[in-house]
Amino acid sequence: MGIRRGELKDLNPSDIALLGIPFDENSSYSRGPAKAPELIIEAIESDSANFYTENLTDLNKHPRVKWCGNAALSDYFSIEKPIQEILDKNAIPFSLGGDHSMTYPIMKAMATKYPNLQIIQFDAHGDLYDELDGNVHSHACPFARIMENGLVKNLTQIGIRTMTDHQKEQADRFGVQVIEMKDWSAEINLIFDDPVYVTFDMDVLDPAFAPGVSHHEPGGLSTREALGMIQKLNANIVGCDVVEYNPTRDINGMTAMVSAKIVKELLAKLV
Ligand code: MN
Ligand code: MN
């Protein structure tokens, strides 16, 4: 029983490559997400649950879903290379973080293949700072870098509840569609015409549901509400990442299981 193991060099077209990005050097407050990827896979394979998604996709040894292990990284920008390798095989990258800064180098690779990419970002934070603590690659900045480099057609953020004047200016400047948590409702329907990349920061969930994150920001989505948003996404999803699970802040591996559930339901959209 388990998720099939694979190697990047052996991927087939339309495979979904689960890849660990053990990188948290751009975290501003607390390290830990680098240890997350294997723990999320372990949670998916836990004997306490089965391998089915809620739409009855059986992920046990699913022929198209392959855990490719952790990427071998030399530095921050080396994250781009394995993603490029996956895209060169016409496979779909599904990265397990890692802190949120990783989405910028990932998007550098994605942009070469998908010139009209649209991003959906689930997050308590906009991550649009021009810089934080003097670091332009902080996990608080990746979407500023992505937008100013024109890597995607547009960005839609869901669950934001930490807006500042500066980030409001940045969002306006980049034409970001921000659905703040205070304005969120389960009835919101998002329509995407072009290929979509989904980036899911675990702190979009209320810390009551997902305590294993670096930044506890109250007033977020319930796990059920987030799953509902994922399940009704009507989009051609060409890549995903689930980031910011921090096992050093977790309680009894609860947030590992929540991360695993989010990954499983996103996989159900991809296979
Ligand atoms: Mn984030
Ligand atoms: Mn966040």
Side-chain angles (χ1 to χ4, degrees):
M1 301 284 275
I3 300 291
R4 220 173 255 269
R5 265 52 179 171
E7 287 189 51
L8 298 190
K9 63 177 175 47
D10 300 325
L11 289 169
N12 297 314
S14 85
D15 274 356
I16 296 135
L18 287 164
L19 179 71
I21 305 290
F23 184 89
D24 60 12
E25 291 171 30
N26 285 322
S27 297
S28 57
Y29 177 70
S30 165
R31 301 281 288 266
K35 300 190 186 84
E38 296 106 320
L39 295 173
I40 296 173
I41 296 296
E42 203 176 282
I44 292 174
E45 297 184 330
S46 164
D47 289 339
S48 74
N50 65 44
F51 286 92
Y52 280 85
T53 66
E54 293 187 359
N55 73 354
L56 292 184
T57 302
D58 186 0
L59 296 173
N60 182 36
K61 304 286 179 210
H62 193 290
R64 281 181 57 206
V65 179
K66 293 173 184 161
W67 165 232
C68 301
N70 275 345
L73 304 173
S74 51
D75 59 21
Y76 175 52
F77 283 106
S78 69
I79 293 169
E80 182 180 348
K81 200 172 151 241
I83 303 299
Q84 195 65 60
E85 217 178 318
I86 292 166
L87 294 174
D88 288 346
K89 297 280 188 183
N90 290 315
I92 298 168
F94 194 137
S95 306
L96 306 178
D99 75 45
H100 217 162
S101 71
M102 65 191 240
T103 305
Y104 172 42
I106 288 173
M107 223 43 63
K108 290 177 93 163
M110 294 298 294
T112 63
K113 180 158 185 166
Y114 300 103
N116 288 320
L117 197 60
Q118 301 183 278
I119 305 184
I120 308 171
Q121 175 192 356
F122 291 88
D123 207 324
H125 313 92
D127 297 349
L128 284 167
Y129 281 96
D130 188 47
E131 56 89 23
L132 193 76
D133 304 332
N135 180 7
V136 297
H137 298 305
S138 163
H139 69 160
C141 306
F143 297 94
R145 300 292 85 80
I146 288 165
M147 298 311 285
E148 72 195 7
N149 284 286
L151 298 182
V152 297
K153 183 172 142 186
N154 56 40
L155 168 62
T156 301
Q157 301 181 323
I158 299 166
I160 308 300
R161 50 192 189 277
T162 53
M163 190 58 89
T164 61
D165 284 337
H166 169 65
Q167 293 204 92
K168 179 80 175 68
E169 273 166 31
Q170 292 279 80
D172 291 346
R173 175 178 156 216
F174 298 129
V176 180
Q177 183 188 8
V178 185
I179 301 170
E180 288 189 64
M181 199 61 231
K182 67 183 172 60
D183 304 320
W184 179 86
S185 90
E187 281 73 51
I188 287 171
N189 254 320
L190 302 168
I191 294 159
F192 300 92
D193 301 324
D194 286 300
V196 164
Y197 185 89
V198 179
T199 179
F200 193 101
D201 183 326
M202 289 299 294
D203 68 28
V204 74
L205 300 172
D206 193 278
F209 296 91
V213 297
S214 301
H215 304 263
H216 291 158
E217 189 64 40
L221 292 172
S222 71
T223 304
R224 191 70 252 164
E225 287 165 343
L227 295 172
M229 293 289 291
I230 290 169
Q231 288 168 347
K232 75 172 184 182
L233 266 182
N234 187 2
N236 169 27
I237 302 172
V238 295
C240 294
D241 61 51
V242 173
V243 302
E244 296 284 350
Y245 166 47
N246 185 340
T248 68
R249 307 258 290 169
D250 203 3
I251 300 164
N252 296 333
M254 279 162 58
T255 312
M257 286 309 282
V258 178
S259 305
K261 181 85 176 176
I262 298 293
V263 170
K264 284 173 71 179
E265 291 302 311
L266 281 168
L267 284 169
K269 304 293 288 189
L270 291 170
V271 298

